[in-house]
Amino acid sequence: MSIAKVEPLTNARALHGPFDYRLPEAMAGLEVGSVVRVPFGRQRILGVVVGLAESSELPPERLAEPIEALEAGAPPELVRLGLWIAREYCSTASRGLQLALPPGTGAAGQRVRSRLELRAEIAAAGEKALSGGERLGVKQRAVLEALRAGEMSAADLASAVGADRAVLRRLEERGLIATRSSRMRRRSAQPDVGATGGCPELLPEQVTAVEGVVAALDGEVGAQREELRHGVTGSGKTEVDLAADEAALARGRGAIVLVPEIGLAPQAVARFRARLGDRFAVLHSALSDGERYDEWRRLRSGEASVCVGPRSAVFAPVGDLGLVVIDEEHDASYKQEGDPCYDARAVARKRAADCGAVLVAGTATPRPETWLELPRLELPRRVDGRVMPPVRVLDMREADPRSGPLHPDTWEALGAVREAGAKAIVMVNRRGFAPWLTCRSCGRHWDCPNCDVSLIVHRHSGRLVCHHCAHTEPLPRACADCDSTTLSQAGVGTEQIEALLAERLAPIPVFRLDADTAAGRGAHARILAAFGEAESAVLVGTQMVAKGHDFPEVTLSAILDADATLRFPDFRAAERTFAMVAQLAGRSGRGPAGGEVIVQTLAPTAPSIVHAAGHDATTFLAEEVERRRALRYPPFSHLTRIVLKAEVEGRLDRAAAELADALSDSLPGETDLLGPAPMFRVRNRHRRRFLLKAADREATIAAVRDTVENLAADRVLRDVAISVDVDPQ
Ligand code: ADP
Ligand code: ZN
Ligand code: ZN
């Protein structure tokens, strides 16, 4: 008899799987990773086979049989990875496994299938019929002639020669054609930007980088299996990745290239597709479920073996993985925000280590963790030989407040861009028009009814919007408390800067790129394309404008509030600010006209700003590492954050006290337990936060997992949601 150990796809924390099922003869072919529908209590739910056994501890008559097996499952390697994530990030087996499954496999049992299409091919008798002048209908003859050029789908035949299925059926009955059903590949309608598949002659530094990867692929003694590729923007890192991917393919191995969520620009996709052809697959959130499923299947079947995609592509079913590249490894989008809060960079390292693949993390602005942990390879020069653009830091504390959010020098530089017919990028850290609305007469201000934050003025839509929940309301004309009509809007956001620039810089067009304008499918790419095609233009937006694109006509990039990110009470604030300013600086001066960078700030002496202005990542990192060592922050300790949420505050406080007690009993020594600290209310839920600072990562995670699982069964925690974030960002 054979037994399948099945982990049910349900998110109950208190459930301890896997559970044994008896396999009928017809399901003897099931493997680890197969997805089955099983009876579970009174329900029928999906589950994943995580193990197979000869016998069970339970008598056979107590075991149920799966009802059916689904079309596609996950490779065993990914099942192990999913279970590892569940443990490592204090989540459930079900949530970990769902990451490994084909797109569209939901716990609720809905699923995506392959789409089939009918394909026709001419038979030898068909060729003879055409040349021998046999009697054929007009449509029949047209079909045969079309098929002489090669196999076609029924849909293509219908549009090419107007032949319907009946014509094909009759031809097949006469033995003149053969038809078959085949899996169809749904392709995204996203326009492919032109890219040449040409491969430039690599510079010596690039050659060294490729050789390093090849040596590791070939398992040479002394070759680095993990590497930080530290190279300024435009130093040819992507070109090195392409060559390394080709090397992996030539050795019959696959590759995964992770890119930031927003960085998957059509240009980048086109570049990979042009070089790697059909061996290339792309997985990203702009694809429909069907398209994503088809790309997944192409990887799973081995038809494609290089996958490019954001965070979740770390679970791409690439067989015989030889290389994993993490592009722009500093990017915050590699951390998943919902449970499991996995970090794709850590998962990539685990996966690469388990399958003997080479890992490369590339960036111009490495994280201190990566800087310390991985051996480095430097690509210090831009391929075009251009120097990095000069950076001017403007002290906004000394600027005349009447000049508004832009320093007079910034206006002057923008004016020069207009005169020269060039382009500029302007970044501001907040979207909307203004972050505060207040009544001048009575001081009332407008807060979100569901969250403890102020509502943001959005003039474009004429509404007040909460950036933490879905709440919006019409922009008031008068104060609700005192009827005064003198309402003041304080602070600036992208909409306001857009309006200011459009007015002062006319006639050159101003494009805005932020979460509001980029919301629709393909909108992000359309805005960038419009900016690219314009002769002279300004692009205004949030951090999105600093990421993943290359416009040689940009001669000025400016950030208006470079200290906004520094004010967060977060030990990564400096690292974030450095990366943001350095990335924005990298957008300017990529063409023959050169360029410059302006940084407006209230904190001109902050190390992150000074070193970013000097394009000096090495000094910044050296200082930042020492600061972290002194304060015992990662990587010199391990952080875990636990957040409790509830609508009723009293319940929340009792739960927090209970958790604090349980944790202080179970945590290993040398662990600081900070909290519970109040956090601002979001979506009508009050929140409390604990932060653990630990020396022993494994022991702390295990203690947190056990504590949370025990409490999940406790009545005190009823109606209290608890989330655990290991290595919070
Ligand atoms: P990065 O990823 O470091 O920003 P890319 O690989 O995208 O750099 O290179 C920047 C530009 O320079 C691209 O247009 C690329 O095609 C080109 N490039 C890269 N390497 C070379 C080379 N060796 N010779 C000529 N052009 C190159
Ligand atoms: Zn008022
Ligand atoms: Zn809200």
Side-chain angles (χ1 to χ4, degrees):
M1 184 179 62
S2 55
I3 304 291
K5 301 198 168 290
V6 175
E7 195 66 68
L9 294 178
T10 130
N11 288 327
R13 253 200 196 274
L15 204 66
H16 291 278
F19 301 97
D20 288 358
Y21 286 84
R22 187 164 32 125
L23 288 184
E25 201 64 31
M27 291 192 191
L30 285 191
E31 297 169 339
V32 168
S34 295
V35 182
V36 287
R37 189 182 303 281
V38 291
F40 191 74
R42 299 171 155 213
Q43 297 164 288
R44 301 166 148 215
I45 59 174
L46 291 185
V48 180
V49 178
V50 296
L52 294 164
E54 284 303 309
S55 60
S56 169
E57 284 172 9
L58 294 171
E61 63 277 10
R62 300 251 330 257
L63 296 180
E65 291 182 358
I67 300 158
E68 60 166 341
L70 266 55
E71 181 185 81
E77 176 217 344
L78 291 180
V79 169
R80 287 193 297 273
L81 192 67
L83 294 173
W84 176 81
I85 284 178
R87 285 193 306 276
E88 187 73 7
Y89 293 95
C90 286
S91 184
T92 60
S94 164
R95 287 217 165 96
L97 286 169
Q98 279 177 48
L99 298 168
L101 294 177
T105 318
Q110 80 278 16
R111 53 180 148 149
V112 184
R113 286 200 180 86
S114 295
R115 191 181 292 167
L116 297 180
E117 65 178 356
L118 189 69
R119 300 189 66 86
E121 186 178 32
I122 192 161
E127 293 278 5
K128 231 186 257 156
L130 270 183
S131 49
E134 205 166 308
R135 261 193 50 214
L136 289 165
V138 182
K139 288 261 168 71
Q140 291 181 333
R141 181 171 294 278
V143 168
L144 290 179
E145 272 168 359
L147 289 180
R148 268 187 160 164
E151 196 188 66
M152 281 174 81
S153 73
D156 289 345
L157 279 169
S159 58
V161 300
D164 59 16
R165 299 274 170 122
V167 177
L168 300 186
R169 206 171 329 115
R170 274 195 299 280
L171 282 169
E172 183 158 40
E173 280 162 12
R174 289 174 65 183
L176 304 182
I177 65 169
T179 67
R180 65 187 177 95
S181 258
S182 118
R183 269 207 184 94
M184 186 179 127
R185 177 178 174 197
R186 283 159 281 204
R187 295 287 292 254
S188 154
Q190 272 208 351
D192 256 8
V193 197
T196 53
C199 145
E201 189 164 336
L202 297 183
L203 299 173
E205 295 97 308
Q206 289 174 307
V207 172
T208 309
V210 177
E211 281 173 355
V213 174
V214 169
L217 273 175
D218 289 342
E220 280 176 27
V221 186
Q224 302 290 4
R225 306 205 62 85
E226 291 190 318
E227 164 190 306
L228 165 62
R229 189 179 298 148
H230 178 220
V232 295
T233 43
S235 57
K237 294 188 294 297
T238 310
E239 210 55 53
V240 171
D241 293 338
L242 285 163
D245 291 339
E246 284 171 339
L249 283 178
R251 284 157 181 76
R253 305 187 66 178
I256 293 176
V257 180
L258 299 179
V259 294
E261 187 73 48
I262 211 76
L264 203 55
Q267 291 117 303
V269 173
R271 203 161 147 196
F272 274 92
R273 188 165 285 140
R275 277 284 278 278
L276 304 169
D278 274 346
R279 307 303 311 276
F280 165 81
V282 57
L283 288 172
H284 61 81
S285 53
L287 299 179
S288 71
D289 276 352
E291 288 160 358
R292 210 162 343 141
Y293 181 77
D294 289 351
E295 291 294 272
W296 192 93
R297 265 215 74 93
R298 289 177 60 236
L299 290 163
R300 178 82 171 102
S301 68
E303 195 185 320
S305 33
V306 176
C307 179
V308 177
R311 179 174 72 227
S312 60
V314 74
F315 305 105
V318 172
D320 200 0
L321 192 60
L323 174 66
V324 183
V325 175
I326 309 166
D327 189 28
E328 310 287 4
E329 73 94 25
H330 61 276
D331 197 87
S333 73
Y334 285 123
K335 179 79 170 168
Q336 159 110 329
E337 282 184 9
D339 185 15
C341 299
Y342 70 88
D343 188 323
R345 296 163 290 207
V347 178
R349 281 181 78 177
K350 167 73 177 160
R351 187 170 176 194
D354 283 355
C355 40
V358 181
L359 180 112
V360 177
T363 176
T365 54
R367 294 179 300 155
E369 290 91 325
T370 322
W371 185 256
L372 280 182
E373 286 165 11
L374 299 191
R376 280 199 288 280
L377 184 118
E378 303 275 349
L379 290 174
R381 290 191 291 151
R382 277 188 164 180
V383 277
D384 51 20
R386 294 200 176 88
V387 292
M388 298 302 286
V391 180
R392 252 197 291 170
V393 177
L394 300 179
D395 186 348
M396 292 305 279
R397 292 171 307 184
E398 291 172 359
D400 183 347
R402 282 168 304 176
S403 70
L406 277 81
H407 193 284
D409 291 3
T410 311
W411 279 122
E412 197 186 309
L414 284 165
V417 167
R418 179 177 60 180
E419 295 316 309
K423 290 180 186 172
I425 293 180
V426 177
M427 179 180 145
V428 54
N429 269 300
R430 199 187 298 261
R431 67 192 166 90
F433 190 85
W436 297 284
L437 181 68
T438 47
C439 170
R440 289 232 184 128
S441 307
C442 74
R444 179 189 209 275
H445 47 121
W446 275 258
D447 291 332
C448 177
N450 311 320
C451 315
D452 295 333
V453 297
S454 63
L455 292 170
I456 313 286
V457 178
H458 281 242
R459 263 206 205 158
H460 195 72
S461 57
R463 303 187 76 83
L464 288 171
V465 177
C466 173
H467 285 185
H468 288 88
C469 74
H471 178 82
T472 81
E473 57 188 69
L475 193 56
R477 285 169 200 279
C479 175
D481 291 345
C482 74
D483 288 337
S484 161
T485 51
T486 50
L487 305 184
S488 91
Q489 304 181 347
V492 293
T494 48
E495 278 189 5
Q496 189 171 154
I497 302 300
E498 176 194 19
L500 271 176
L501 295 178
E503 188 189 309
R504 290 270 296 263
L505 297 177
I508 69 171
V510 177
F511 300 96
R512 173 160 59 94
L513 183 65
D514 57 25
D516 298 313
T517 61
R521 198 176 163 176
H524 180 255
R526 272 199 303 281
I527 294 167
L528 286 179
F531 176 64
E533 281 158 21
E535 197 155 323
S536 172
V538 181
L539 181 68
V540 181
T542 50
Q543 291 197 28
M544 278 185 192
V545 301
K547 292 182 182 180
H549 47 76
D550 183 4
F551 297 108
E553 317 83 29
V554 171
T555 57
L556 171 68
S557 57
I559 174 167
L560 304 187
D561 51 355
D563 40 276
T565 46
L566 267 183
R567 288 194 297 264
F568 286 120
D570 176 351
F571 77 95
R572 287 185 217 276
E575 166 193 337
R576 291 260 164 74
T577 305
F578 177 84
M580 183 182 74
V581 174
Q583 294 290 338
L584 185 85
R587 302 296 135 208
S588 180
R590 292 185 156 218
E596 70 159 334
V597 182
I598 287 181
V599 177
Q600 294 189 181
T601 178
L602 293 167
T605 55
S608 52
I609 289 181
V610 172
H611 296 311
H615 303 290
D616 189 357
T618 306
T619 308
F620 172 74
L621 283 160
E623 290 179 15
E624 181 64 13
V625 162
E626 284 322 306
R627 192 179 70 92
R628 295 217 185 156
R629 196 194 305 274
L631 298 174
R632 215 163 69 81
Y633 274 125
F636 302 99
S637 67
H638 301 280
L639 298 186
T640 299
R641 185 176 60 185
I642 306 175
V643 176
L644 302 179
K645 297 181 205 153
E647 286 186 16
V648 183
E649 212 162 5
R651 215 178 257 284
L652 183 65
D653 284 326
R654 254 185 302 145
E658 191 99 346
L659 180 60
D661 274 353
L663 284 174
S664 49
D665 287 346
S666 65
L667 287 174
E670 285 186 75
T671 308
D672 300 342
L673 173 61
L674 311 171
M679 295 169 78
F680 67 86
R681 185 179 54 117
V682 166
R683 294 171 197 272
N684 270 323
R685 299 210 287 179
H686 299 275
R687 302 186 294 168
R688 298 287 182 274
R689 187 194 65 190
F690 289 90
L691 195 63
L692 312 182
K693 213 175 186 186
D696 185 339
R697 178 191 169 90
E698 301 300 315
T700 305
I701 291 174
V704 170
R705 191 170 50 232
D706 291 348
T707 309
V708 168
E709 272 173 18
N710 287 338
L711 283 184
D714 192 323
R715 305 199 42 188
V716 177
L717 272 160
R718 236 181 341 131
D719 305 323
V720 178
I722 182 164
S723 57
V724 181
D725 187 353
V726 177
D727 307 327
Q729 293 294 306

